[in-house]
């Protein structure tokens, strides 16, 4: 048994035919499938641009590509199952055959999980932590690793009035409970990742407490994934700067997260994040 495993942490994550080494930080690249345009030409361009972006992220060192078809942005309206499947499944099917990296599907809907995994996705990333009706069963049936994220409320209204007595404890208790629910549903412990859900029903102060005390999540014994990339907490800390000006702050946050125990970083800007995390890992 390797040292890290003896200490209670997983050292590897099996994602289909890919084995991820969790003893060094790994990057999950974000691929958002924007709504299709009306013309066929537009659809082709959009599909092709998404494919090229996935290939570029893998070349830049992304260990996983996370594909989502529903915006979880604060205030966003939900999309139908049908619409979400049309957005993500053809892309997953195409990429699974041509990209040398595991594909994760960012969804909360059981039918999307099943369709995405059938198309070749080997991981489920769910911002609802499998709380939607039928999601636990679907994830179990898919037999792929799952990432359980904490969110207070729902995307539409979660930033209206986030409230906690003790955010770190409450998020940790929530995640511990969802891990137990997964295990009770038959999902293997080695296939469960956790994520405190930065920005999902949290104020800047809540997000900062979670980042400062991120180590408190490693004691749950599951791989820890975090997403801080381009989030509004970065924008706020830099003086309300727009998304396009959040790169350096996002990279700094990723480095802090890795030094405090995160094993996977979900981000948009893969090349600079991978470079920064190589340096951070060497100094850890
Ligand atoms: C607008 C605002 C669009 C925020 C998209 C977002 C996470 C996630 C997202 C995360 C995990 C984003 C978010 N964030 N999944 N999905 N962890 N596991 O910044 O932090 O991409 S959506």
């Amino acid at each position: 048994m390797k040292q890290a495993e003896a200490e209670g942490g997983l050292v590897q994550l099996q994602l289909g035919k890919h084995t991820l080494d969790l003893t060094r930080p790994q990057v999950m690249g974000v691929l958002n499938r924007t709504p299709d345009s009306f013309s066929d030409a537009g659809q082709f361009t959009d599909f092709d641009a998404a494919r090229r972006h996935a290939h570029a992220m893998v070349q830049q060192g992304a260990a996983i590509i996370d594909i989502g078809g529903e915006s979880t942005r604060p205030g966003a309206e939900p999309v139908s199952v049908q619409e979400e499947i049309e957005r993500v499944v053809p892309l997953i099917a195409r990429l699974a055959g041509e990209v040398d990296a595991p594909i994760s599907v960012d969804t909360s809907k059981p039918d999307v999980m099943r369709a995405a995994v059938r198309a070749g996705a080997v991981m489920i990333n769910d911002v609802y932590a499998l709380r939607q009706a039928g999601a636990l069963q679907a994830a179990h049936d898919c037999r792929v690793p799952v990432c359980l994220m904490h969110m207070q409320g729902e995307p539409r209204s979660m930033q209206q009035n986030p409230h906690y007595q003790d955010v770190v404890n409450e998020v940790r208790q929530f995640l511990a409970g969802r891990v137990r629910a997964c295990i009770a549903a038959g999902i293997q412990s080695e296939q469960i990742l956790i994520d405190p859900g930065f920005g999902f029903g949290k104020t800047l102060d809540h997000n900062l407490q979670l980042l400062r005390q991120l180590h408190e999540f490693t004691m749950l014994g599951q791989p820890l994934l975090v997403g801080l990339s381009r989030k509004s907490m970065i924008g706020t800390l830099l003086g309300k700067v727009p998304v396009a000006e959040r790169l350096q702050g996002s990279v700094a946050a990723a480095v802090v997260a890795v030094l405090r125990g995160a094993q996977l970083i979900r981000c948009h800007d893969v090349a600079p994040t991978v470079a920064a995390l190589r340096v951070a890992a060497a100094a850890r």
Side-chain angles (χ1 to χ4, degrees):
M1 187 159 42
K2 291 185 196 157
Q3 188 59 30
E5 206 171 4
E7 286 164 9
L10 266 187
V11 295
Q12 287 183 343
L13 181 66
Q14 196 62 41
L15 294 168
K17 62 176 179 161
H18 299 269
T19 306
L20 232 68
D21 174 10
L22 295 182
T23 64
R24 61 187 175 91
Q26 300 286 359
V27 164
M28 168 187 267
V30 178
L31 191 58
N32 279 323
R33 191 75 170 101
T34 50
D36 286 328
S37 60
F38 292 100
S39 77
D40 286 346
Q43 282 183 28
F44 176 77
T45 309
D46 185 47
F47 186 85
D48 228 46
R51 272 178 68 216
R52 277 200 304 274
H53 190 219
H55 283 280
M57 289 194 291
V58 172
Q59 268 186 328
Q60 292 165 15
I64 307 174
I65 300 299
D66 190 39
I67 301 181
E70 178 177 38
S71 177
T72 37
R73 151 172 49 85
E77 293 298 326
V79 301
S80 73
V81 175
Q82 190 61 30
E83 169 87 42
E84 203 179 321
I85 287 177
E86 281 166 18
R87 285 186 197 174
V88 299
V89 167
L91 185 60
I92 290 170
R94 183 69 181 263
L95 284 173
E98 66 181 23
V99 85
D100 188 27
I103 294 166
S104 152
V105 62
D106 185 346
T107 189
S108 302
K109 297 187 181 76
D111 292 343
V112 181
M113 292 172 188
R114 293 181 196 276
V117 170
R118 224 178 292 125
V122 290
M123 177 172 170
I124 294 166
N125 173 30
D126 182 6
V127 300
Y128 274 94
L130 305 178
R131 286 177 293 157
Q132 303 285 48
L136 268 174
Q137 184 65 49
H140 170 260
D141 294 347
C142 288
R143 293 186 159 74
V144 297
V146 295
C147 180
L148 308 173
M149 197 196 78
H150 174 272
M151 167 167 59
Q152 184 178 83
E154 53 186 88
R156 203 196 314 248
S157 57
M158 65 189 178
Q159 291 306 104
Q160 280 167 17
N161 187 25
H163 181 80
Y164 303 84
Q165 300 287 340
D166 177 343
V167 66
V168 174
N169 251 310
E170 286 170 53
V171 172
R172 194 178 47 192
Q173 290 307 316
F174 170 86
L175 291 173
R178 295 312 299 158
V179 171
R180 281 194 300 272
C182 284
I183 289 171
I187 297 170
Q188 291 181 39
S189 171
E190 301 74 44
Q191 296 199 313
I192 306 172
L193 293 83
I194 54 169
D195 180 340
F198 286 98
F200 285 83
K202 283 124 189 149
T203 63
L204 173 62
D205 196 54
H206 295 140
N207 288 319
L208 288 173
Q209 284 184 61
L210 289 167
L211 187 54
R212 288 188 195 108
Q213 291 171 247
L214 199 64
H215 257 132
E216 311 252 347
F217 294 92
T218 62
M219 61 179 70
L220 294 176
Q222 309 301 140
L224 181 59
L225 184 152
V226 305
L228 291 149
S229 181
R230 301 183 180 176
K231 287 199 173 167
S232 75
M233 67 178 284
I234 309 288
T236 304
L237 289 170
L238 298 179
K240 294 208 181 352
V241 302
V243 167
E245 291 164 37
R246 296 177 189 173
L247 171 62
Q248 293 88 343
S250 298
V251 170
V255 168
V256 171
V258 155
L259 294 179
R260 298 199 174 151
Q263 282 138 316
L264 293 113
I265 300 294
R266 183 181 180 277
C267 71
H268 302 85
D269 303 287
V270 172
T273 307
V274 165
L277 295 187
R278 280 201 189 133
V279 174
R284 204 159 44 166

